[in-house]
Amino acid sequence: MQNKKKLALALAILPSLPLAAHADVTVYGFLSGGVESTKATGNGDTAKDYRSTTRVLDNNSRIGFKGNEDLGNGLKAIWQVESSLRNFEQGGINDKGETATLATRNTFVGLQGGFGTFLLGNYDTAYKRLPGSVGLNILGDTAGDTHGGVGIHSRRETRLKNSVNYTSPMFLGIQAGVSYGVDEARTVGSVDGYRQNDDRLSVAASYANGGLKLGAGYDREGSRLNSSTPANQTKSIDKTEGYKLAAGYKFATGTFVGAGFEQVKVDNASAADTTQNDWLVALGQDFGAVTVKAGYGRLGKLKNAAAGTEDDYKARQWLLGATYDLSKRTQLYAYATKIKNESKASVNFVTNSVYSEGGGTGAAKLTAGNDPQAFGIGMKVSF
């Protein structure tokens, strides 16, 4: 009888042991899917149009695992593995033929304490994270996403592989950060023998006080070769620099007003150096569980481009949308947006880009001069 009691006690305790061992591990993420009508035409060659299409979409879904270990004296070891669930609606393969794999998003190991946070891995740059806290990307994770390399604004923000990142503690509403990523390949140009150093430095800060949020950032990318084709590799760019300012205010009435400005300078190795500005304004209004949003952005002329072509690199985008919170975790949304590209511009949707050439391959691209537009509805469930 005594042995039976011990066995029953052991069986009762056993299920709790794995939970205790992993009590500091958090599983998080969201699934966001929608239906969208989109097209991109206007380049002058109908063979290179992206014709009107209805798409069932994944809107940047993800899953992550994170945890920490208390090392004592206020010091913690922290880690995170975050993965894209990219295009879950079509088997995990996007329109460039890319597949979702483990640790494609912010993934790192680091230390956290009173001094701040040090991280090592694949992580959003300070230029992206801290000014991004202002909240200007009002329709992020939809076709109305405005921030990123192919977007209308904040075109120098990125997630940086092979990087070391530091974020300071918050002090009087101020937080600062720095990111540095190395170029591990250091490719040597086959034509001129130049060894590329495409490293990256990002420095930024943010300020928060009540409804006011401010952000500023600097990003510098090193030298680059002009081609991935060995027979053509010569030094093309000495460095690329980005400067960004962002400001926003959320009133007690639920009204949000914000604006951002960015300047990107490219120091070319032989061609004339170029400069291009972009800016964005964003508005929002809460009505209980409903939030209505609107924004407008412009990409300016490419200064010092070939004579007579500077204005051909301009683009503009408008966006409208609304969200409805069914609960703290479940949200419905709707949006509409249109991008107007001049003849040499190819601003695209940051989330679920459209491609009018080379679809299904790594060389897929939007033909310059095509004007992407979309409207859609969707549902997002966070966990």
Side-chain angles (χ1 to χ4, degrees), residues 147-195:
H147 287 47
V150 299
I152 200 76
H153 180 61
S154 195
R155 294 162 64 84
R156 293 304 300 168
E157 69 175 51
T158 190
R159 181 172 299 118
L160 196 55
K161 297 178 181 179
N162 305 313
S163 65
V164 179
N165 303 268
Y166 170 73
T167 306
S168 74
M170 186 77 74
F171 179 72
L172 298 177
I174 300 172
Q175 192 167 39
V178 59
S179 305
Y180 181 73
V182 300
D183 178 1
E184 294 188 346
R186 297 296 305 276
T187 305
V188 177
S190 56
V191 176
D192 58 8
Y194 178 78
R195 190 183 184 199

Side-chain angles (χ1 to χ4, degrees), residues 10-275:
L11 291 174
I13 294 175
L14 186 59
S16 68
L17 292 179
L19 294 176
H22 299 286
D24 59 349
V25 178
T26 300
V27 181
Y28 67 95
F30 65 80
L31 283 170
S32 178
V35 180
E36 176 183 280
S37 177
T38 184
K39 67 177 182 178
T41 60
N43 73 91
D45 182 354
T46 57
K48 295 181 180 179
D49 286 346
Y50 183 91
R51 297 182 180 182
S52 181
T53 303
T54 298
R55 308 194 289 179
V56 176
L57 297 170
D58 157 40
N59 281 317
N60 223 5
S61 302
R62 66 201 64 169
I63 186 170
F65 306 87
K66 61 183 178 180
N68 66 81
E69 181 185 7
D70 190 344
L71 303 177
N73 298 317
L75 184 65
K76 288 183 179 180
I78 58 175
W79 62 270
Q80 177 174 295
V81 179
E82 186 173 295
S83 304
S84 171
L85 297 176
R86 181 170 46 205
N87 299 100
F88 71 86
E89 86 292 351
Q90 56 185 29
I93 302 175
N94 69 9
D95 293 341
K96 293 185 75 173
E98 299 168 335
T99 58
T101 57
L102 188 66
T104 48
R105 296 183 57 84
N106 287 329
T107 299
F108 56 79
V109 64
L111 291 172
Q112 185 175 69
F115 53 81
T117 303
F118 280 99
L119 303 177
L120 178 71
N122 183 26
Y123 196 54
D124 290 344
T125 60
Y127 186 88
K128 178 179 180 179
R129 289 183 291 110
L130 295 174
S133 66
V134 171
L136 299 181
N137 198 6
I138 53 176
L139 291 178
D141 299 325
T142 72
D145 194 323
T146 52
H147 287 47
V150 299
I152 200 76
H153 180 61
S154 195
R155 294 162 64 84
R156 293 304 300 168
E157 69 175 51
T158 190
R159 181 172 299 118
L160 196 55
K161 297 178 181 179
N162 305 313
S163 65
V164 179
N165 303 268
Y166 170 73
T167 306
S168 74
M170 186 77 74
F171 179 72
L172 298 177
I174 300 172
Q175 192 167 39
V178 59
S179 305
Y180 181 73
V182 300
D183 178 1
E184 294 188 346
R186 297 296 305 276
T187 305
V188 177
S190 56
V191 176
D192 58 8
Y194 178 78
R195 190 183 184 199
Q196 172 181 286
N197 187 13
D198 190 19
D199 62 346
R200 198 151 186 166
L201 173 67
S202 174
V203 181
S206 63
Y207 172 75
N209 185 1
L212 176 65
K213 292 185 178 181
L214 305 173
Y218 168 77
D219 181 86
R220 192 274 305 156
E221 184 177 5
S223 60
R224 298 179 65 184
L225 300 175
N226 66 338
S227 174
S228 59
T229 304
N232 299 324
Q233 288 176 338
T234 60
K235 185 180 181 182
S236 174
I237 296 175
D238 286 321
K239 65 179 178 180
T240 303
E241 295 177 295
Y243 306 83
K244 182 168 65 171
L245 296 172
Y249 193 87
K250 183 71 175 284
F251 295 87
T253 57
T255 302
F256 172 77
V257 179
F261 173 82
E262 180 184 49
Q263 183 175 86
V264 177
K265 295 182 177 181
V266 179
D267 291 349
N268 292 299
S270 55
D273 297 342
T274 61
T275 301

Side-chain angles (χ1 to χ4, degrees), residues 213-342:
K213 292 185 178 181
L214 305 173
Y218 168 77
D219 181 86
R220 192 274 305 156
E221 184 177 5
S223 60
R224 298 179 65 184
L225 300 175
N226 66 338
S227 174
S228 59
T229 304
N232 299 324
Q233 288 176 338
T234 60
K235 185 180 181 182
S236 174
I237 296 175
D238 286 321
K239 65 179 178 180
T240 303
E241 295 177 295
Y243 306 83
K244 182 168 65 171
L245 296 172
Y249 193 87
K250 183 71 175 284
F251 295 87
T253 57
T255 302
F256 172 77
V257 179
F261 173 82
E262 180 184 49
Q263 183 175 86
V264 177
K265 295 182 177 181
V266 179
D267 291 349
N268 292 299
S270 55
D273 297 342
T274 61
T275 301
Q276 192 169 32
N277 300 333
D278 61 76
W279 55 264
L280 176 74
V281 292
L283 304 171
Q285 179 63 57
D286 297 335
F287 299 98
V290 176
T291 302
V292 179
K293 307 174 183 183
Y296 182 78
R298 290 187 71 103
L299 177 66
K301 66 182 181 181
L302 186 65
K303 299 176 183 177
N304 289 333
T309 68
E310 289 187 344
D311 288 339
D312 293 339
Y313 292 88
K314 289 182 176 180
R316 58 186 183 272
Q317 180 179 11
W318 62 259
L319 49 143
L320 295 169
T323 60
Y324 176 63
D325 296 330
L326 295 174
S327 70
K328 290 183 178 180
R329 294 180 178 271
T330 303
Q331 183 184 80
L332 302 179
Y333 56 85
Y335 58 88
T337 185
K338 182 174 182 178
I339 299 168
K340 171 60 179 173
N341 283 310
E342 298 300 330

